[in-house]
Amino acid sequence: TYDGAVRSLPLFAGSQMLLLFRKDYLDAKNLPTPKTWSDWVRIASVLHNEALGPGGRPIYGACLGRLTEDQCRKRRGTTTSNMTTANATGNMEECHSQSMTYLGMMLASMTQVEGNSTGWMLDLDKTKPSGLNPLFRPTLETILVLMEQQIKFGAPNELMEDASLNLRLFQDGLCGMTVTANHNEELLKQDMVGFVPLPGSHQFLVRSDEEM
């Protein structure tokens, strides 16, 4: 601040996740921009298999490549992921797993509604068989149900593809919505492409009451 007024704000320089959507696809079905993860699933269900793509091709409602970090390691035959690695033939390839990122961004919308000042995203309890504080069980179950529902309205190979699937299908006009940290400037400038912060949730964890 200077002279009693805010003059600038600190900016975290890392890439931030954005929700990308096709304005024309949502407009064609008179759909709003998703504000919650429940909205995301509902809108994806309406868009899925609609003939809105190039040449009237059916589209996927929402695209999230869900290859896990372990699957990335196995695919590349290395012990690292989320980076360029050499496979058995010596060729340099990439594998970007964001499956845990998707889980985390949904979880944060329900357990950290006021940022990390709200508390831990998950609280572990070594005295419990599951290792998880029972307080977080209904929250995690809610998120897993949402993720399971969304799979129905995504690409059939999502579980076997990494995060590169997201932009690839979106740029090809075959996906109504996706999330990405890859901010392709030219893509974001296109008239039919919209982008907003990640959705929130109409449910959140009340820690004092130990319920959603």
Side-chain angles (χ1 to χ4, degrees):
T1 61
Y2 176 75
D3 196 23
V6 176
R7 304 296 184 183
S8 63
L9 293 171
L11 176 66
F12 178 64
S15 295
Q16 302 299 301
M17 280 286 191
L18 291 176
L19 187 158
L20 305 187
F21 61 95
R22 284 289 298 254
K23 296 178 185 177
D24 48 345
Y25 295 174
L26 267 62
D27 288 346
K29 293 297 176 180
N30 196 29
L31 294 167
T33 304
K35 292 182 171 57
T36 68
W37 289 112
S38 294
D39 289 344
W40 162 277
V41 172
R42 180 180 63 83
I43 292 170
S45 71
V46 175
L47 293 175
H48 193 62
N49 278 334
E50 290 293 324
L52 298 170
R57 294 175 62 184
I59 66 168
Y60 305 117
C63 302
L64 293 177
R66 299 168 188 265
L67 197 70
T68 67
E69 292 182 15
D70 185 56
Q71 288 171 317
C72 262
R73 288 193 291 268
K74 291 177 179 177
R75 174 179 288 186
R76 304 310 179 211
T78 69
T79 58
T80 60
S81 64
N82 286 333
M83 62 183 293
T84 303
T85 54
N87 63 12
T89 64
N91 296 324
M92 300 301 287
E93 297 189 42
E94 292 185 351
C95 188
H96 300 283
S97 171
Q98 291 185 345
S99 57
M100 293 306 296
T101 301
Y102 304 145
L103 179 65
M105 65 192 186
M106 292 183 182
L107 188 62
S109 73
M110 300 180 191
T111 64
Q112 294 186 315
V113 292
E114 296 178 357
N116 57 18
S117 64
T118 305
W120 293 103
M121 203 181 305
L122 275 176
D123 191 10
L124 302 181
D125 187 340
K126 295 182 180 179
T127 67
K128 305 299 180 183
S130 68
L132 182 67
N133 186 325
L135 172 64
F136 291 86
R137 181 169 181 170
T139 313
L140 190 56
E141 287 177 344
T142 298
I143 293 164
L144 292 176
V145 168
L146 284 172
M147 295 184 76
E148 184 179 23
Q149 290 173 338
Q150 192 272 321
I151 288 177
K152 301 175 185 176
F153 313 118
N157 57 338
E158 281 192 357
L159 294 175
M160 301 305 297
E161 293 287 342
D162 70 354
S164 65
L165 175 78
N166 302 3
L167 274 185
R168 187 165 72 248
L169 291 177
F170 189 82
Q171 289 174 318
D172 289 344
L174 298 177
C175 184
M177 301 182 295
T178 191
V179 295
T180 181
N182 183 355
H183 304 161
N184 184 311
E185 185 176 347
E186 294 304 313
L187 177 65
L188 298 183
K189 286 180 180 178
Q190 295 180 21
D191 291 339
M192 73 280 197
V193 173
F195 57 94
V196 292
L198 292 179
S201 173
H202 67 280
Q203 292 180 295
F204 61 92
L205 179 66
V206 181
R207 295 171 190 257
S208 59
D209 298 335
E210 298 190 1
E211 65 181 11
M212 288 283 283

